[in-house]
Amino acid sequence: MVYLKLNFKQNKLVTMYNLDMSHLNQRKAIFKWSPCPAFIWEYKGNEFVLKEVNKAAQDLTENSATAFIGLTANEIYPDLPMMISKLEECFRKKAHLEFEHYYKNRNNGTFDWIKFSLIYLEPNSVLLNASVINDKKEQEIETKSSNDRANRQRIAISSLIAEDSIQNLNLEEGFNKISKMAASVFEVSRASIWMVDANNKYLECQSLY
């Protein structure tokens, strides 16, 4: 009976071991073939050492990533102290962190917006994912610029409406003031106001700034 009980435990341990190995192999396969560039950093002797990179990371770095395996983060990123601090924060808090950085490509000298994602891996590693997000950042910058411009327009129009003196101007003076304001708001060197003539046939310039 005792023999059977021990045998059951052994079988259970073997099954758990097989499950763990299967899970480990699955994780390795996902890491290796993930379309997202990934780097595994191991914490050794108060330093983060690059331990492994996947195929996507090789593609991103034009096959130079493996040359950095075994080097510390301080050696690889002397120009990016933020990376060191984020690795340390992720490891210390055992948390998932993300940050974006305008990073210079070491191979061709071009700059890209990179989104870095850091995930703590037990017992002493950090998984770093890197994604190029140039299109996303360009859209964000364009949207912000558009919103800023619209806000300037609203402020300018509101101040123009609230201005008491404009009510005392004749039509020509009022148009000139509006043209000048429009040139400033739209950041252009010229602005004009046109109106259709009394016969609805031609456009007539009422003001040119």
Side-chain angles (χ1 to χ4, degrees), residues 36-37 39 60 83 96-103 112-118 128-134 136-137 140:
C36 180
F39 309 77
L60 177 68
M83 178 65 76
H96 178 194
L97 303 178
E98 291 183 348
F99 72 99
E100 297 174 357
H101 187 75
Y102 196 49
Y103 190 69
D112 292 302
W113 274 104
I114 306 291
K115 179 179 180 179
F116 295 102
S117 176
L118 298 90
L128 171 69
N129 290 318
S131 303
V132 179
I133 55 169
N134 289 331
K136 174 178 174 290
K137 293 302 292 186
E140 287 179 0

Side-chain angles (χ1 to χ4, degrees), residues 80-124:
L80 189 55
M82 182 187 296
M83 178 65 76
I84 315 300
S85 64
K86 290 295 182 181
L87 283 168
E88 291 173 346
E89 182 182 356
C90 175
F91 186 79
R92 184 178 68 256
K93 294 182 177 179
K94 297 179 172 55
H96 178 194
L97 303 178
E98 291 183 348
F99 72 99
E100 297 174 357
H101 187 75
Y102 196 49
Y103 190 69
K104 183 178 181 180
N105 188 307
R106 297 167 187 254
N107 297 300
N108 54 33
T110 60
F111 283 86
D112 292 302
W113 274 104
I114 306 291
K115 179 179 180 179
F116 295 102
S117 176
L118 298 90
I119 303 170
Y120 171 73
L121 300 177
E122 294 183 350
N124 61 344

Side-chain angles (χ1 to χ4, degrees), residues 165-184:
S165 62
I166 197 170
Q167 299 178 14
N168 301 320
L169 299 177
N170 60 41
L171 196 59
E172 181 180 353
E173 291 173 332
F175 281 158
N176 289 339
K177 194 172 186 67
I178 293 172
S179 296
K180 183 178 180 179
M181 178 207 69
S184 175

Side-chain angles (χ1 to χ4, degrees), residues 25-90:
N25 291 334
Q26 186 180 30
R27 281 180 56 182
K28 285 184 176 180
I30 292 173
F31 168 79
K32 182 178 180 180
W33 299 110
S34 170
C36 180
F39 309 77
I40 292 181
W41 294 87
E42 185 178 13
Y43 190 66
K44 294 173 73 174
N46 297 324
E47 289 271 17
F48 285 97
V49 179
L50 185 61
K51 182 180 179 181
E52 193 174 352
V53 301
N54 70 352
K55 184 180 183 302
Q58 279 287 84
D59 294 338
L60 177 68
T61 60
E62 299 178 13
N63 295 318
S64 66
T66 52
F68 295 97
I69 291 177
L71 297 180
T72 67
N74 284 303
E75 291 172 322
I76 298 174
Y77 296 112
D79 56 339
L80 189 55
M82 182 187 296
M83 178 65 76
I84 315 300
S85 64
K86 290 295 182 181
L87 283 168
E88 291 173 346
E89 182 182 356
C90 175

